Amino acid sequence: MGKEEIAFFDAKPYDKEWFDKYNKNYDIRYYVGRLRPENAKLAEGAKAVCVFVNDDVNEKTIEILSRLKVEVILLRCAGYNNVSVKTAQKRGIKVLRVPAYSPYAVAEHTMGLILALNRKIPRAYIRTRDFNFSLNGLMGFDLHGKTAGVIGTGKIGRVFIDICKGFGMNVLAFDPFPAKIDGVEYVSKEELFTDSDIISLHCPLTKETHYIINKSSLELMKKNVLIVNTSRGRLIDTEALLSALNEKRIGGAALDVYEEESGLFFEDNSDKIVTDEVISLLVSRPNVIITSHQAFFTEEALSNIAQITLENFDDYLSGNELKNEVK
Ligand code: NAI
């Protein structure tokens, strides 16, 4: 019998490198395009599809996968807001994910963004490349003694809290399932918005968290607050954020994710006319830093992602307990 096939969508060179390194058992067909109803037919003959954060695994896609007898959706990420899990369940298709691959990667990138934004490191770098050694406009503030507001105190949020404590920051947190964490005070969302100097999002995208940063929450915040989002784009109403930036009601924003990132992020658009006005304006602001959903992007994380994704499929085929099933 031939090897089981995996149709692997939104494949990038780095995905292929790490999956080829660990794959011994399967025939992986790499497709550059993101999975969506229009190209789901490519999964024909495969028992599993492997997808990432911006594949559109909606009801329609899953109906097609079901007709093609695909049995498993292998998410090579933690978040699953882009998959209609209900439809998959109805069709008997298992959804398996990688719940944790490196909380350190994301938490460290988050602090990197804060430092870059607060101390204006990208601006300083560009200046000194042109022998401009002026400090005008580069002033930041000490993190020591300031307050970090952390929304979502799961795996990544907790590592980020440890990093903040290392900087001598006070930490406020909001999470519907508070944990016992030394030196962290759980408060209401409103208190967190009002009292924080830095607000960092580490919760999943759900109905409750959709646009958790919006016009009214922005109105509660301190004038110099820095907002950091390394979770999911739709946690922030980006137009409301842009208005707050334009009206100088907040200090700045660092975004590793963007609500309209699909089709834009992970790709080189430098030769194209990007018609998304909101991102174009954000990119042009001196107090905004954008990275392209790269917080997870470390060797350790990619190695874990490849191994756990393949193990999830091994478990399914061997009839083992599916510890990483999305239910
Ligand atoms: P986790 O599941 O360990 O923690 C999530 C926390 O959010 C939990 O404590 C949960 O109780 C809390 N939460 C749920 N609903 C909430 C609400 N309404 N308000 C506040 N908190 C709420 O997840 P983990 O591993 O810490 O990841 C967090 C998020 O980070 C993921 O959902 C994903 O969106 C994002 N992520 C981003 C990456 C990137 O490269 N930028 C990579 C990996 C994850």
Side-chain angles (χ1 to χ4, degrees):
M1 207 173 92
K3 289 180 171 180
E4 293 294 358
E5 292 177 27
I6 302 175
F8 193 111
F9 288 86
D10 202 8
K12 297 283 185 281
Y14 44 85
D15 290 318
K16 191 169 176 328
E17 181 189 334
W18 287 93
F19 274 81
D20 283 351
K21 179 170 173 184
Y22 291 110
N23 175 38
K24 304 273 177 292
N25 303 327
Y26 307 115
D27 184 2
I28 303 183
R29 295 185 334 230
Y30 293 99
Y31 295 111
V32 171
R34 277 172 286 127
L35 177 61
R36 53 194 193 281
E38 293 74 23
N39 67 1
K41 204 177 173 313
L42 291 170
E44 189 155 21
K47 196 162 255 182
V49 292
C50 184
V51 297
F52 195 49
V53 295
N54 287 325
D55 292 274
D56 191 4
V57 199
N58 60 21
E59 289 176 21
K60 228 166 143 187
T61 308
I62 293 175
E63 295 298 349
I64 299 167
L65 296 179
S66 167
R67 283 203 293 279
L68 295 172
K69 302 202 166 29
V70 169
E71 296 176 20
V72 188
I73 295 166
L74 296 169
L75 280 156
R76 52 182 193 281
C77 54
Y80 49 88
N81 51 280
N82 55 329
V83 179
S84 173
V85 177
K86 234 197 213 153
T87 316
Q89 268 162 359
K90 230 172 36 200
R91 294 285 162 228
I93 296 178
K94 299 285 182 199
V95 181
L96 307 177
R97 67 176 181 135
V98 184
Y101 36 89
S102 173
Y104 310 103
V106 182
E108 289 169 13
H109 189 76
T110 306
M111 185 47 91
L113 285 174
I114 292 168
L115 292 171
L117 181 65
N118 176 32
R119 305 305 298 270
K120 295 148 178 96
I121 293 167
R123 293 185 75 193
Y125 169 77
I126 290 165
R127 277 188 193 183
T128 56
R129 303 269 300 170
D130 200 26
F131 295 93
N132 175 354
F133 297 114
S134 159
L135 297 184
N136 293 334
L138 299 185
M139 188 154 345
F141 57 81
D142 283 11
L143 293 181
H144 185 91
K146 297 294 187 310
T147 299
V150 180
I151 299 186
T153 55
K155 292 177 283 296
I156 296 170
R158 286 187 217 191
V159 176
F160 178 67
I161 286 171
D162 283 344
I163 294 174
C164 290
K165 286 202 221 153
F167 275 79
M169 301 188 79
N170 308 312
V171 181
L172 298 178
F174 172 76
D175 192 309
F177 304 98
K180 258 210 112 23
I181 310 171
D182 271 355
V184 173
E185 188 188 346
Y186 281 93
V187 293
S188 69
K189 246 187 300 194
E190 290 67 28
E191 278 176 88
L192 186 145
F193 291 140
T194 311
D195 295 343
S196 302
D197 299 293
I198 283 165
I199 295 174
S200 194
L201 303 173
H202 298 290
C203 55
L205 175 63
T206 62
K207 266 206 281 289
E208 291 73 35
T209 60
H210 183 265
Y211 284 180
I212 194 165
I213 303 291
N214 54 40
K215 187 170 180 294
S216 44
S217 53
L218 284 158
E219 275 164 8
L220 296 175
M221 294 177 196
K222 290 189 182 178
K223 195 166 177 288
N224 289 327
V225 69
L226 303 182
I227 299 171
V228 197
N229 187 7
T230 54
S231 273
R232 284 292 179 269
R234 289 205 165 83
L235 297 176
I236 298 186
D237 176 346
T238 322
E239 295 208 18
L241 179 78
L242 189 57
S243 301
L245 286 162
N246 288 346
E247 291 155 23
K248 301 196 180 86
R249 283 189 280 112
I250 58 169
L255 310 172
D256 186 52
V257 286
Y258 168 55
E259 56 176 316
E260 300 299 335
E261 71 179 50
S262 180
L264 197 60
F265 278 25
F266 303 110
E267 309 297 336
D268 178 1
N269 298 291
S270 56
D271 261 353
K272 300 181 188 146
I273 304 290
V274 172
T275 52
D276 180 327
E277 304 284 341
V278 175
I279 194 111
S280 304
L281 287 170
L282 284 172
V283 164
S284 72
R285 295 291 180 267
N287 53 350
V288 174
I289 289 185
I290 297 175
T291 52
S292 180
H293 208 137
Q294 84 177 72
F296 76 101
F297 202 54
T298 64
E299 291 178 5
E300 290 79 1
L302 282 173
S303 162
N304 288 333
I305 286 171
Q307 290 180 74
I308 297 168
T309 304
L310 293 166
E311 279 164 22
N312 283 343
F313 197 32
D314 294 345
D315 284 340
Y316 172 78
L317 294 173
S318 319
N320 296 341
E321 185 207 346
L322 298 176
K323 50 187 181 303
N324 294 328
E325 182 174 5
V326 180
K327 290 200 174 135

